[in-house]
C-alpha cells in the first residue's frame, strides 16, 4: 500500500500543530545520531556491504541470539514482502482483521491464496501488538499456538514490542522454535522511520530460506552505520512507557464518556469509533481545519468501517486539547 498509511502529515503541512496519527514516538533527541552520520557522509561514494552483516552481528549480540538467526532488512515492510516471496505461488495464508495491510498486499503480489480457517493455512500472520487496535496476545498463547502447528510458518510482527508492558515472544524464543519468524523494527524502537531499518529473527534454517531471495545492497551504508550507532546508544532511547500508557487509559476513558468507543489500551495507540451517523473522515477534517490536530482515519483497514479512527497519545496537554476538540465536534 503506497497510499493510505498513517502519518499523512505531508498532505497538510503547517496546518498540523499536534500529530496523533503516527504510532511512532517522535520525541527522542537525535542530535547525537545526526552528528555521527554527518561524519560518515564519505561512505556515499562506495558500495555498502552486499548484505548488512556487520549490523546483523551487532544486532544478534543485542538480541542474545546466534547471528545466523538474524536478517536486517530495509524496514519491517521489506521483511514482510521478503517472507511472502519465499513461499511457492498459491500457498495458503491467514491473518486476523483488522490489522496491518501489508501482510495482505505482500501475499497478494506473491500470488498466495487467503483462507478463512487457520487449519488450512501454511502461513500465519500475527501483528503483536496489533496495529491499529493496540491489542496484545501474550507470550504463552503465542508459544502454544506455534508449538501446536509445527507444519505452519508463524510470522509474528513485533514492530511495536517497545510499546507495551505485556510479555511478548523473545528473539531467543523465535530462534529456538522451528516455525516462527519474529519481525522487529528500528523505526518504532528508535523513532527513525526515514532510515528504513527492520529485521527478522528465527531458526537458522528458516533464516537461510529467507536469505535465498535477498537482493544485494538493500540497506545503505548510512543505514548500517546508523543502526550500529543506535544499538550502541540504546539507553538514550527509552520510551516513557508508563506515562504514555497512563495517558492512553485516561484519554480512552474520557472519549468513552463522551460517546466515542475506544478499544482496550495495552499500548499508547488505540482504535476508536465515532457514534452512528458520524464518520471518521469528517472528524479528521474538522480536527485539521479547526484545531490543527491530525488523527488516523482507519476506515481503509480491512474489517473496519467509515466510523473508525486511531490515535496515538501525545503530551497530557495535547491530549486534553484532542479530547475537548472531539467533544465539540460530537456536539455539532
Amino acid at each position: 500500500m503506497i497510499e493510505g498509511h498513517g502519518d499523512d502529515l505531508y498532505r497538510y503541512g503547517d496546518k498540523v500543530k499536534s500529530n496523533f496519527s503516527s504510532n511512532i514516538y517522535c520525541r527522542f533527541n537525535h542530535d547525537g545520531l545526526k552528528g555521527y552520520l554527518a561524519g560518515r557522509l564519505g561512505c556515499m561514494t562506495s558500495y555498502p556491504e552486499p548484505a548488512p552483516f556487520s549490523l546483523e552481528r551487532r544486532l544478534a549480540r543485542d538480541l542474545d541470539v546466534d547471528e545466523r538467526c538474524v536478517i536486517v532488512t530495509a524496514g519491517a515492510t521489506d521483511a514482510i514482502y521478503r517472507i511472502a516471496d519465499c513461499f511457492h505461488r498459491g500457498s495458503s495464508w491467514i491473518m486476523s482483521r483488522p490489522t496491518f495491510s501489508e501482510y495482505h498486499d505482500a501475499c497478494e503480489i506473491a500470488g498466495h491464496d487467503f483462507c478463512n480457517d487457520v487449519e488450512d493455512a501454511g502461513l500465519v500472520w500475527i501483528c503483536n501488538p496489533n496495529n491499529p487496535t493496540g491489542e496484545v496476545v501474550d507470550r504463552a498463547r503465542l508459544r502454544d499456538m506455534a508449538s501446536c502447528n509445527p507444519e505452519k510458518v508463524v510470522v509474528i510482527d513485533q514492530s511495536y514490542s517497545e510499546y507495551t508492558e505485556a510479555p511478548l515472544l523473545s528473539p531467543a524464543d523465535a530462534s529456538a522454535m522451528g516455525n516462527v519468524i519474529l519481525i522487529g523494527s528500528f523505526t518504532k524502537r528508535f523513532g527513525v522511520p526515514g532510515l528504513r531499518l527492520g529485521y527478522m529473527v528465527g531458526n537458522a534454517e528458516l533464516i537461510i530460506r529467507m536469505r535465498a531471495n535477498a537482493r544485494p545492497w538493500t540497506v545503505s551504508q548510512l543505514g548500517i552505520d546508523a543502526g550500529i550507532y543506535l544499538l550502541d546508544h540504546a539507553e538514550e532511547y527509552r520510551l516513557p512507557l508508563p506515562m504514555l500508557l497512563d495517558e492512553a487509559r485516561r484519554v480512552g476513558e474520557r472519549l468513552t464518556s463522551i460517546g466515542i468507543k475506544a478499544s482496550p489500551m495495552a499500548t499508547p495507540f488505540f482504535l476508536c469509533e465515532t457514534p452512528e451517523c458520524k464518520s471518521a473522515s469528517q472528524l479528521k477534517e474538522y480536527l485539521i481545519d479547526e484545531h490543527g490536530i491530525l488523527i488516523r482515519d482507519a476506515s481503509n483497514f480491512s474489517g473496519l468501517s467509515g466510523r473508525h479512527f486511531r490515535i496515538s497519545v501525545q503530551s497530557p496537554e495535547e491530549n486534553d486539547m484532542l479530547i475537548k476538540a472531539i467533544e465539540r465536534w460530537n456536539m455539532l
Side-chain angles (χ1 to χ4, degrees), residues 16-30:
V16 177
K17 308 303 180 187
S18 294
N19 185 3
F20 290 81
S21 72
S22 172
N23 295 345
I24 303 169
Y25 184 73
C26 61
R27 299 175 189 271
F28 291 125
N29 183 342
H30 292 302

Side-chain angles (χ1 to χ4, degrees), residues 63-66 68-70 139 143 146-147 169-182 201-207:
L63 300 177
D64 196 24
V65 297
D66 190 295
R68 295 173 300 171
C69 298
V70 177
R139 176 176 180 266
R143 283 182 59 88
S147 298
L169 211 66
S170 71
D173 290 331
S175 64
M177 303 175 78
N179 64 328
V180 171
I181 300 174
L182 204 64
V201 180
N203 176 278
E205 292 184 8
L206 262 182
I207 293 302

Side-chain angles (χ1 to χ4, degrees), residues 115-137:
C115 60
N116 293 305
D117 191 334
V118 70
E119 296 299 320
D120 299 326
L123 181 59
V124 180
W125 298 89
I126 301 172
C127 188
N128 194 53
N130 188 42
N131 178 24
T133 65
E135 295 172 325
V136 178
V137 181

